[in-house]
Amino acid sequence: MRKFLFGFLAAAILTGCTANQAIDSAQSVTATAAPTIIANTSATPAQAKAVADATLAASLTWQALGLYVGSGHADAAVMARIGQLAPPVHAALKAAQDAQRNGNSAGVAAGLSAFQAALGALKTYATTKGVM
Amino acid sequence: MRLSTDDLMAAADELLPMMTTVVGVLVPGAAPLLSIGAKIVQGVAAAVPEAEALYARIQSGDVPTQAELDAYATAEDGAYAALMAKLAAA
């Protein structure tokens, strides 16, 4: 499975599909984790795991998009739009992380929900424009 | 969790033909080939540790410590900042 994941990422990079597939991974991670979140008054272990998974997945997404931007074949208008769509993803994740540090369960849930929505918008655009 | 030498060698065996094919299609010239090849290698090298960590985290079911969460957040901040810098420079 590790080899599959490695090969999946590497092949995606080589074929220019990294961005979309990394985003797919991120969405899969957060979509799986989000329903398990229970709105308690303090952050739960499940929320800590969800935040960790989302954070790692976001890192992959940024790296993948960075590879696209640095490829020398990126479209200027697409890059500009990515520059608009990425900050909400990062901001929502930061909100979830901050809430996690503060033990704010509702804040974590809200942050991850916003993260999922923003990531979905980014993925939809990237898919439409053939970034992947 | 770390990839073993065998894992890396097997992955390299799988990657080499793909790299040759894809880079050859994209850029027939030698200089662009080297440039894009270097970017590919850098991209793979950058992605693999993150992929390993993500895979291990998803599979483990372990609850991360706050220190781990902070480390992931720092890495994510760096990756995000790098992307935004590239976008600004493009």
Side-chain angles (χ1 to χ4, degrees):
Chain A
M1 185 63 186
R2 281 180 297 161
K3 274 199 263 188
F4 170 78
L5 182 61
F6 178 89
F8 162 81
L9 285 168
I13 289 169
L14 294 175
T15 56
C17 295
T18 310
N20 189 37
Q21 292 181 343
I23 292 170
D24 277 343
S25 171
Q27 285 207 307
S28 174
V29 167
T30 53
T32 301
T36 67
I37 294 169
I38 302 170
N40 294 328
T41 53
S42 60
T44 67
Q47 287 184 319
K49 186 177 187 309
V51 170
D53 292 347
T55 302
L56 288 165
S59 292
L60 280 177
T61 301
W62 305 142
Q63 288 178 355
L65 290 174
L67 201 62
Y68 165 74
V69 172
S71 69
H73 302 286
D75 180 84
V78 172
M79 287 192 290
R81 186 63 180 140
I82 288 173
Q84 294 173 333
L85 291 171
V89 178
H90 183 65
L93 182 60
K94 299 308 290 181
Q97 291 167 347
D98 289 344
Q100 164 63 29
R101 287 190 192 92
N102 295 327
N104 177 356
S105 179
V108 174
L112 287 177
S113 178
F115 172 78
Q116 182 76 359
L119 194 64
L122 177 58
K123 180 195 172 187
T124 297
Y125 178 76
T127 301
T128 301
K129 293 300 180 183
V131 170
M132 63 298 286
Chain B
M1 179 178 66
R2 302 297 305 169
L3 288 175
S4 70
T5 302
D6 287 344
D7 288 332
L8 292 172
M9 292 302 292
D13 287 343
E14 294 171 6
L15 280 173
L16 192 57
M18 286 192 292
M19 287 182 68
T20 303
T21 300
V22 173
V23 174
V25 168
L26 288 177
V27 277
L33 187 152
L34 290 174
S35 174
I36 291 184
K39 288 176 183 174
I40 289 171
V41 170
Q42 289 167 359
V44 171
V48 167
E50 296 285 350
E52 277 190 292
L54 179 60
Y55 175 76
R57 172 57 59 201
I58 292 171
Q59 292 297 309
S60 72
D62 293 342
V63 176
T65 66
Q66 191 58 52
E68 288 174 322
L69 284 171
D70 290 342
Y72 297 156
T74 298
E76 191 270 337
D77 280 339
Y80 174 76
L83 170 63
M84 298 313 281
K86 284 183 180 179
L87 288 172

